[in-house]
């Protein structure tokens, strides 16, 4: 099964996926492309250093808008979808990807719109996302810090991470894997963050395996 992974930063979750390829935790999956919206993302280096090396691509939003006057963020999202779909993926994974993909992207990956006018539409390519919070808890950015602060204030009693299907509403798709992360009073943010990332590295692989097992 052909997998494409989107990253924006260090790519530690990508690394977990690379390490799990063709092991019992992620059987018959091959990462055929790593895509980033940031040229400096270390995840691109991880892809290049994998054995065998994984092809990479990158397209940043601001340079795209500058070099395409009149184009919008939606056009950028559609362009990203076109780049990814050219690899005929069976699964698209957002792992440490820090850009909200709007309907310009999803209408193409969902097969609701053909890649080019007049063409037939394609099948649905599932898109999943890793989010370091429990369903409905801290949607959006900085979820780890926000959960840590809320816990210290006694506003929440549990924390965790999830992998969910990507839908239009940010971090609101059907959860595929949810795992609690231990959090104690007085835990430093660093200690909590360390546990969050360890748990992310487990569930990103479980989430990918679960969706790939669904597809024929
Ligand atoms: C992770 O917490 C991920 O959920 C968030 O960015 C952090 C780093 O991810 N979006 P990675 O190391 O780049 O995979």
């Amino acid at each position: 099964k052909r997998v494409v992974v989107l990253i924006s930063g260090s790519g530690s979750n990508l690394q977990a996926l690379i390490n799990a390829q063709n092991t019992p935790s992620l059987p018959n999956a091959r990462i055929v492309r790593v895509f980033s919206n940031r040229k400096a993302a270390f995840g691109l280096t991880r892809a290049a250093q994998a054995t065998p090396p994984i092809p990479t691509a990158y397209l940043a939003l601001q340079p795209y808008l500058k070099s395409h006057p009149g184009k919008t963020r939606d056009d950028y999202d559609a362009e990203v979808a076109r780049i990814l779909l050219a690899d005929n993926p069976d699964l698209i994974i957002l792992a440490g990807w820090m850009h909200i993909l709007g309907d310009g992207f999803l209408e193409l990956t969902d097969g609701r719109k053909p890649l080019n006018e007049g063409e037939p539409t394609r099948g649905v390519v599932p898109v999943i996302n890793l989010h370091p919070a429990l369903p409905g808890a801290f949607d959006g950015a900085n979820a780890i810090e926000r959960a840590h602060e809320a816990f210290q204030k006694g506003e929440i009693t549990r924390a965790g991470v999830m992998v969910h299907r990507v839908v239009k509403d940010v971090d609101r798709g059907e959860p595929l894997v949810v795992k609690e992360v231990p959090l104690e009073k007085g835990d430093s943010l660093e200690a909590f963050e360390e546990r969050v990332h360890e748990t992310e590295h487990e569930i990103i692989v479980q989430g990918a395996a679960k969706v790939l097992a669904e597809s024929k």
Side-chain angles (χ1 to χ4, degrees), residues 113-126:
K113 191 177 168 193
L115 281 186
N116 300 300
E117 290 307 306
E119 280 180 0
T121 53
R122 305 157 61 105
V124 175
V125 178

Side-chain angles (χ1 to χ4, degrees), residues 7-15 43 46 95-98 129-132 144 193 196-197 200-201:
I7 54 140
S8 297
S10 71
S12 67
N13 287 284
L14 164 67
Q15 193 62 59
R46 293 179 191 268
W97 168 257
M98 306 301 279
N129 178 50
L130 170 69
H131 184 61
I144 299 174
E193 186 140 17
V196 165
H197 291 318
E200 285 179 327
H201 300 161

Side-chain angles (χ1 to χ4, degrees), residues 92-107:
I92 295 171
I93 303 177
L94 312 185
W97 168 257
M98 306 301 279
H99 168 90
I100 296 172
L101 290 163
D103 213 37
F105 176 90
L106 288 171
E107 62 187 359

Side-chain angles (χ1 to χ4, degrees), residues 28-187:
N28 78 351
R30 185 160 63 89
I31 300 171
V32 297
R33 175 83 58 187
V34 171
F35 181 88
S36 181
N37 61 336
R38 284 188 51 234
K39 197 170 190 178
F42 183 64
L44 292 172
T45 304
R46 293 179 191 268
Q49 290 177 343
T51 315
I54 300 170
T56 60
Y58 110 93
L59 184 67
L61 173 61
Q62 290 312 325
Y64 171 83
L65 296 177
K66 283 196 185 60
S67 56
H68 297 80
K71 294 272 187 190
T72 65
R73 184 189 170 102
D74 232 27
D75 295 317
Y76 168 82
D77 290 355
E79 183 58 22
V80 171
R82 282 197 190 85
I83 293 169
L84 304 182
L85 292 172
D87 285 320
N88 285 316
D90 297 297
L91 173 62
I92 295 171
I93 303 177
L94 312 185
W97 168 257
M98 306 301 279
H99 168 90
I100 296 172
L101 290 163
D103 213 37
F105 176 90
L106 288 171
E107 62 187 359
L108 294 176
T109 55
D110 282 351
R112 284 182 274 134
K113 191 177 168 193
L115 281 186
N116 300 300
E117 290 307 306
E119 280 180 0
T121 53
R122 305 157 61 105
V124 175
V125 178
V127 184
I128 65 176
N129 178 50
L130 170 69
H131 184 61
L134 294 174
F138 298 97
D139 298 344
N142 304 319
I144 299 174
E145 296 82 354
R146 289 156 57 203
H148 181 261
E149 186 182 347
F151 182 88
Q152 300 309 334
K153 286 182 185 167
E155 291 164 3
I156 59 169
T157 56
R158 298 158 53 244
V161 294
M162 69 166 165
V163 174
H164 64 92
R165 294 185 194 280
V166 174
V167 293
K168 262 191 287 189
D169 308 324
V170 180
D171 297 330
R172 283 280 169 177
E174 171 211 351
L176 290 159
V177 184
V178 179
K179 186 148 187 194
E180 284 201 25
V181 174
L183 184 48
E184 312 283 329
K185 277 282 178 207
D187 272 355

Side-chain angles (χ1 to χ4, degrees), residues 5 12-21 26 31 93 95 204-205 208:
V5 183
S12 67
N13 287 284
L14 164 67
Q15 193 62 59
L17 289 163
I18 291 173
N19 300 346
Q21 279 183 120
L26 191 58
I31 300 171
I93 303 177
I204 191 66
V205 173

